[in-house]
Amino acid sequence: MSGFGREDKDGIVRGARAIVALPEIGPHNRSAEARLEEAAGLAGAIGLDVVERMAFRLRSPKAATLLGSGQVEALADAVRMAEAELVVVDAAVTPIQQRNLEKAVEAKVIDRTGLILEIFGERAATAEGRLQVELAHLDYQAGRLVRSWTHLERQRGGFGFLGGPGETQIEADRRMIRDRMAKLRRELEQVSRTRGLHRDRRRRAPWPVVALVGYTNAGKSTLFNRMTGAEVMAKDLLFATLDPTMRNIRLPGIDKAILSDTVGFVSDLPTQLVAAFRATLEEVTTADIIVHVRDMSHPDSDAQAEDVVRVLSEIGATGGEGAPMIEAWNKVDALDAEAAATLRAEASRRDDAIVLSALTGEGVDDLRRALSERLSQGARVRTVRLPASDGAAIAWLHQNGEVLRSESSGEAIRLDVRISDVDWARFEARE
């Protein structure tokens, strides 16, 4: 994947004039205006110049063009009037629909999946992220060879492993894609095993893990930077960061914890990316506590929260087996005084919501205290007998629990320690 730093093989250029088209099919939990705004934000995230936004109500999608004939004509007129080079269709578009729309409007057409893949391809910074993006892109592209490649009608004869007599170019290309995808999956499996080993080491370490999750652009990375002093990319931009980042933080009564910033979620995430980025979200499934960062200034905050919870449920991070969750109601600084007061009143009636502004720092100390209290819940007194020479274990218990009593007898020591269930499990898992 090339990203948009230059023209790619499909003729897309950073700064290209674009029209966003939203096909409205059936009921949706967001307004058309909000969905157009998000699609325009996605396009803007890779430098496209969105010159117009159009919504089309569909009774049923057309097999050939998705949109009705009159709607296609209206879109073509808008393309000509705006001198647009690109149409972003905020829906899944089949290869045939994409080809027919391009002919009708005389402009390049990409769908929501293609757009998000381009963003991810530009933003992925780690080796794992790039592998995941390439795998998702190949999965998406495999079904579109009929329109993306110009040489497919030629027959390739010959000998050897690269195609027998009569094998068409499209068959050879698809086979090459399948082979490459298989190789990428093997590499990702190795990455996943390595990450698993790292998680196992963290479980044996004395530090709890706190995972930040949230809709893209909810302010996760800004909060991460505020709490850790790091400089993770944090902009008013959809998918500003993709790869998970971890840093140490201190919480009241807890000398050290690990804070993890994960990829932002988005509604209608393409199926290729749900599968490809599952490994990235594995950090969430093994966290001791999840902080769901919400942009409370956004008109669709509730719908965004539903999308996040749905994905978390799919990966097993919530529910009976999942970690407890705290909601960080972010961007209170963007609300007027009355709305902020209402939000604080609602949060005061709940024990799982903290009102804050990651940008100004307001409420962040409240979040730290809430995390400390939640991580310390379930603490009870346990009696431990250890060799007096095991200074590391004794120090660990002093650091992560409250030693109520200590008695030495010969070469052994007995400790009565008030310690949480989470920390006790870590103590028992220590090598």
Side-chain angles (χ1 to χ4, degrees), residues 386-400 411 413 415 427 430:
L386 297 168
S389 59
D390 194 352
I394 295 169
W396 195 101
L397 290 170
H398 276 277
Q399 183 177 4
N400 294 277
E411 297 181 355
I413 186 170
L415 301 174
F427 177 76
R430 291 174 73 254

Side-chain angles (χ1 to χ4, degrees), residues 213 218 292-296 301-302 305 327-331 350:
V213 302
H292 179 184
V293 183
R294 295 180 54 185
D295 176 2
M296 303 307 288
S301 179
D302 289 342
E327 291 193 359
W329 289 359
N330 192 27
K331 303 193 182 182
R350 299 176 50 169

Side-chain angles (χ1 to χ4, degrees), residues 79-144:
V79 168
R80 285 191 293 272
M81 290 288 291
E83 297 182 346
E85 306 158 75
L86 178 68
V87 175
V88 177
V89 180
D90 191 35
V93 178
T94 68
I96 297 298
Q97 291 169 342
Q98 190 169 3
R99 182 180 61 189
N100 291 337
L101 281 172
E102 287 180 342
K103 290 180 179 178
V105 304
E106 297 181 344
K108 169 68 188 165
V109 173
I110 60 172
D111 66 358
R112 183 180 179 88
T113 301
L115 178 61
I116 294 177
L117 280 169
E118 288 291 344
I119 299 171
F120 277 34
E122 186 175 87
R123 302 284 165 73
T126 65
E128 178 186 9
R130 288 191 290 269
L131 286 172
Q132 290 168 332
V133 170
E134 184 180 355
L135 179 60
H137 182 259
L138 288 173
D139 186 26
Y140 173 73
Q141 197 69 15
R144 296 174 185 263

Side-chain angles (χ1 to χ4, degrees), residues 132-403:
Q132 290 168 332
V133 170
E134 184 180 355
L135 179 60
H137 182 259
L138 288 173
D139 186 26
Y140 173 73
Q141 197 69 15
R144 296 174 185 263
L145 291 175
V146 67
R147 59 157 295 277
S148 297
W149 296 55
T150 59
H151 55 284
L152 302 179
E153 288 76 20
R154 295 200 304 267
Q155 295 281 317
R156 171 156 61 187
F159 305 94
F161 297 100
L162 294 180
E167 181 183 33
T168 62
Q169 182 67 47
I170 190 171
E171 289 168 347
D173 289 332
R174 281 181 173 152
R175 178 171 48 76
M176 291 172 67
I177 284 180
R178 286 196 302 270
D179 292 345
R180 176 61 180 162
M181 290 175 68
K183 182 174 185 294
L184 288 171
R185 288 192 177 100
R186 289 194 297 271
E187 292 180 19
L188 280 169
E189 285 174 5
Q190 179 59 47
V191 170
S192 182
R193 283 194 294 271
T194 301
R195 289 166 68 88
L197 292 173
H198 291 166
R199 281 194 299 271
D200 288 341
R201 283 199 291 271
R202 285 201 299 274
R203 287 192 192 101
R204 290 192 293 270
W207 313 302
V209 176
V210 178
L212 298 181
V213 302
Y215 206 81
T216 185
N217 209 31
K220 292 185 292 80
S221 295
T222 303
L223 180 59
F224 182 86
N225 290 343
R226 171 71 62 175
M227 296 184 71
T228 65
E231 295 182 356
V232 172
M233 180 182 178
K235 295 184 178 180
D236 185 16
L237 195 68
L238 297 177
F239 295 119
T241 53
L242 291 182
D243 298 294
T245 307
M246 295 187 176
R247 294 289 188 278
N248 298 334
I249 60 171
R250 298 190 68 170
L251 299 173
I254 298 176
D255 186 60
K256 183 177 179 180
I258 297 173
L259 187 65
S260 172
D261 184 19
T262 60
V263 63
F265 296 9
V266 70
S267 66
D268 304 321
L269 189 66
T271 53
Q272 291 94 341
L273 289 176
V274 172
F277 278 82
R278 187 172 295 272
T280 304
L281 297 173
E282 284 177 357
E283 295 297 337
V284 180
T285 65
T286 57
D288 296 294
I289 191 165
I290 297 171
V291 177
H292 179 184
V293 183
R294 295 180 54 185
D295 176 2
M296 303 307 288
S297 68
H298 197 284
D300 284 325
S301 179
D302 289 342
Q304 291 180 349
E306 290 175 9
D307 288 327
V308 171
V309 171
R310 185 180 306 113
V311 175
L312 290 176
S313 178
E314 288 176 2
I315 65 173
T318 60
E321 299 299 321
M325 183 185 298
I326 290 178
E327 291 193 359
W329 289 359
N330 192 27
K331 303 193 182 182
V332 65
D333 57 296
L335 301 175
D336 59 40
E338 183 178 354
T342 300
L343 192 68
R344 291 189 180 93
E346 183 179 351
S348 68
R349 294 190 291 270
R350 299 176 50 169
D351 61 0
D352 64 343
I354 304 295
V355 176
L356 56 83
S357 167
L359 188 63
T360 67
E362 176 188 354
V364 173
D365 286 342
D366 295 334
L367 176 61
R368 290 180 183 274
R369 284 190 291 270
L371 288 171
S372 177
E373 291 171 4
R374 190 64 66 93
L375 289 169
S376 300
Q377 280 182 356
R380 51 197 176 107
V381 177
R382 291 176 169 88
T383 299
V384 186
R385 289 179 174 81
L386 297 168
S389 59
D390 194 352
I394 295 169
W396 195 101
L397 290 170
H398 276 277
Q399 183 177 4
N400 294 277
E402 181 185 359
V403 177

